[in-house]
Amino acid sequence: MSDTSLSPLPSFDRADVTSRLRDALLGASFTADGLLDLLGAPAYAALARSETVPALRATRGDTPLEALVRLLLLQQPVPRARLADVLPVAECVESGWLTAVGEDEVAAAVDIRPYGGPEGEDWFIVSDLGCAVGGAGGIGSREEGVVLGVGGASTTLAGITVRGPVAGALDLGTGSGIQALHAAQHATRVTATDLNPRALHITALTLALSGAPAADLREGSLFEPVGDETYDLIVSNPPFVISPGARLTYRDGGMGGDDLCRTLVQQAGDRLNEGGFAQFLANWQHVEGEDWQDRLRSWVPRGCDAWVVQREVQDVTQYAELWLRDAGDHREDQAAYQARYDAWLDEFESRKVKAVGFGWITLRKSAAAEPSVTVEEWPHSVEQPLGEAVRAHFERVDYLRAHDDAALLAGHFTLAAEVVQEQVGLPGAEDPEHVVLRQHRGMRRATKVDTVGAGFAGVCDGSLSAGRILDAIAQLVGEDPVLLRDRTPAQIRLLVEQGFLEPAG
């Protein structure tokens, strides 16, 4: 890989300059909140779409923050004199954070984007110029080794990651370092890997400028850089795009079809400590004549529970167009664009791929004799962050695995927070056609229940066992309590599995 045409990167050996730069940015309110106050919500949101005109209009004044926005976010040359009281300009030029433009101006060498941490931390994500917004946003960069900043995929993975004190965390394919930055807040040791040495350099800059501990940075593909080492947490937003060839390191897997994602998932099991989590974003093929859920189940390594959620499906034409736009191919001459488009469709046709799915894969190392593997489609809105909801899913798996129907009936349950009941039926009808329980937190699931299930859930406050509640319902509706006890545990099990009911205590 060569990135000789990319601009030189700042030095991360000058801790003194990086610390002074961080202090200067914070002192000028160059933070997520500060930018929102300065630019206003519409211009701030436009920046996330790589649209700069509204921000340019909002920074025509002469305050220090406006100068920093023009310099670092909008990549405009700024007179040295405007920055003299804001930044250590000479030191920033010497260490490579800024570059001289003529005698009187300086420009940013990298993009520095404020990012608010989960506890209100003021962090800074470094990326290549013009690449602050990662993902399929049409950045149009053709540089093989370009390093993107934070996009929707990055924040999605950060939001679903299970957080909690751990000894060791691995960020595989670190990119600009956002996952390593999050992990550094709760892991004693963070290892970050990437095939692209430029990404490792930028990760070091992101961590240093954000005031976070340095990570153990290692170059290489997949798990090669870590050998047989094991971790309590593994996260990866890999180059999951299924494409003909590997044009762009930051996004294209470089293996046939979805083999990179499959290999990553299958090899993760051996690198997890007992109880540890591995969490990935991935693409997978929908192959003609094959159940996509079975395909994903075959990826799950032995000794792991798994939860796979398909969030989106695109047919092969939509998928090809999305990523051709990402590389800016739609701006090429029409014949070249059509040739590339044809190559993508040839690739899919040769593999009998009719669509591509996108979603989340979570593994948990488990010693259970019967691993739990849940593969589902959930394209609806969710409430981020979901890390605690992911942890709770596996805790419910453990509970249900340890409780047969008799133990379930002896158990006590409470209704989860912010679950509401909806009755659906024709206007004026005496009885509803069906009853729906709906969550307003976490996965925001909805599920149909019968009148017994609705009544049962409604009185679950932890005080009575499930069996006693069913006996009372049987008496109310005039049903045989033995028959009701026989047929209801499956419904209770489903309500627990999906998070509507929680084991009390």
Side-chain angles (χ1 to χ4, degrees):
M1 183 195 64
S2 171
D3 51 13
T4 54
S5 59
L6 293 169
S7 61
L9 292 173
S11 169
F12 54 77
D13 296 327
R14 292 291 305 274
D16 57 329
V17 177
T18 304
S19 178
R20 289 180 62 192
L21 175 58
R22 172 175 169 78
D23 290 343
L25 298 180
L26 293 175
S29 296
F30 187 75
T31 63
D33 288 343
L35 291 188
L36 184 59
D37 288 343
L38 171 68
L39 302 177
Y44 192 56
L47 276 179
R49 302 189 299 270
S50 297
E51 295 289 351
T52 59
V53 172
L56 285 168
R57 292 174 60 84
T59 54
R60 291 177 289 192
D62 58 3
T63 67
L65 180 55
E66 287 169 294
L68 288 177
V69 170
R70 290 223 161 204
L71 174 72
L72 300 175
L73 288 190
L74 305 180
Q75 276 94 57
Q76 301 287 309
V78 174
R80 288 176 183 252
R82 281 201 64 189
L83 299 168
D85 296 330
V86 185
L87 295 178
V89 176
E91 291 88 341
C92 285
V93 171
E94 180 186 354
S95 59
W97 286 101
L98 302 177
T99 58
V101 179
E103 295 184 2
D104 301 325
E105 293 184 320
V106 292
V110 289
D111 194 301
I112 300 174
R113 183 81 37 139
Y115 181 86
E119 303 298 328
E121 301 96 340
D122 288 314
W123 293 339
F124 300 98
I125 309 301
V126 180
S127 64
D128 274 313
L129 291 174
C131 300
V133 181
I139 63 165
S141 176
R142 306 298 178 81
E143 300 294 349
E144 184 184 350
V146 71
V147 179
L148 272 62
V150 177
S154 305
T155 55
T156 293
L157 180 58
I160 67 171
T161 299
V162 176
R163 304 293 175 191
V166 294
L170 170 64
D171 175 14
L172 193 151
T174 187
S176 59
I178 178 60
Q179 310 305 330
L181 181 55
H182 276 279
Q185 311 309 305
H186 60 96
T188 304
R189 173 178 56 92
V190 176
T191 301
T193 71
D194 207 288
L195 183 64
N196 182 2
R198 188 176 181 87
L200 296 176
H201 190 134
I202 283 181
T203 290
L205 297 176
T206 289
L207 294 172
L209 194 58
S210 298
D216 179 4
L217 304 174
R218 305 187 192 181
E219 182 182 344
S221 177
L222 296 173
F223 288 101
E224 290 172 1
V226 301
D228 295 330
E229 295 176 33
T230 58
Y231 300 86
D232 304 301
L233 175 66
I234 299 172
V235 292
S236 183
N237 176 17
F240 53 65
V241 176
I242 301 169
S243 62
R247 292 172 64 202
L248 300 173
T249 303
Y250 72 84
R251 68 165 209 191
D252 295 329
M255 295 186 182
D258 52 17
D259 282 356
L260 183 135
C261 290
R262 175 186 57 79
T263 302
L264 181 61
V265 173
Q266 289 180 335
Q267 293 182 355
D270 291 336
R271 272 77 178 188
L272 281 176
N273 296 324
E274 189 67 26
F277 287 92
Q279 298 186 263
F280 314 101
L281 301 185
N283 276 181
W284 45 79
Q285 298 171 149
H286 284 231
V287 179
E288 192 175 324
E290 177 184 274
D291 186 322
W292 71 269
Q293 293 181 321
D294 289 342
R295 183 180 191 86
L296 271 294
R297 288 188 185 96
S298 74
W299 291 10
V300 178
R302 288 172 50 186
C304 288
D305 295 323
W307 184 20
V308 181
V309 182
Q310 180 167 273
R311 294 288 289 157
E312 184 180 0
V313 180
Q314 290 184 318
D315 67 49
V316 292
T317 60
Q318 292 174 310
Y319 189 80
E321 290 162 14
L322 173 71
W323 295 108
L324 287 167
R325 284 196 303 273
D326 174 68
D329 291 319
H330 61 305
R331 293 191 287 269
E332 279 190 347
D333 114 41
Q334 191 65 14
Y337 172 76
Q338 290 179 347
R340 289 197 185 278
Y341 198 152
D342 229 11
W344 282 68
L345 296 186
D346 283 344
E347 176 78 7
F348 288 131
E349 186 176 334
S350 70
R351 297 178 178 276
K352 298 183 178 180
V353 176
K354 57 184 180 179
V356 177
F358 167 81
W360 320 323
I361 299 175
T362 300
L363 306 177
R364 185 190 58 167
K365 190 78 166 185
S366 170
E370 293 288 336
S372 167
V373 178
T374 301
V375 183
E376 63 174 322
E377 184 164 20
W378 189 254
H380 312 293
S381 65
V382 297
E383 181 194 46
Q384 285 275 36
L386 270 172
E388 282 307 305
V390 173
R391 186 198 306 276
H393 167 88
F394 288 95
E395 290 173 350
R396 294 194 299 270
V397 163
D398 287 341
Y399 178 87
L400 292 172
R401 193 157 43 197
H403 290 73
D404 60 15
D405 286 355
L408 210 60
L409 291 173
H412 294 238
F413 301 94
T414 58
L415 190 65
E418 296 191 41
V419 172
V420 298
Q421 175 180 306
E422 300 173 357
Q423 294 186 344
V424 181
L426 293 172
E430 185 174 340
D431 296 311
E433 292 178 18
H434 56 259
V435 177
V436 174
L437 298 182
R438 188 178 300 278
Q439 301 168 349
H440 285 273
R441 304 295 302 274
M443 291 293 287
R444 293 178 174 163
R445 296 187 186 278
T447 189
K448 291 181 184 178
V449 292
D450 60 20
T451 52
V452 170
F456 178 88
V459 297
C460 278
D461 60 4
S463 60
L464 296 175
S465 69
R468 289 191 62 187
I469 293 174
L470 289 179
D471 291 344
I473 291 175
Q475 188 173 7
L476 281 173
V477 300
E479 190 168 339
D480 184 333
V482 175
L483 294 177
L484 194 60
R485 279 174 171 255
D486 283 344
R487 71 175 175 86
T488 308
Q491 191 168 191
I492 297 173
R493 193 171 290 276
L494 179 64
L495 291 175
V496 172
E497 179 184 331
Q498 295 192 343
F500 290 92
L501 294 179
E502 297 172 348

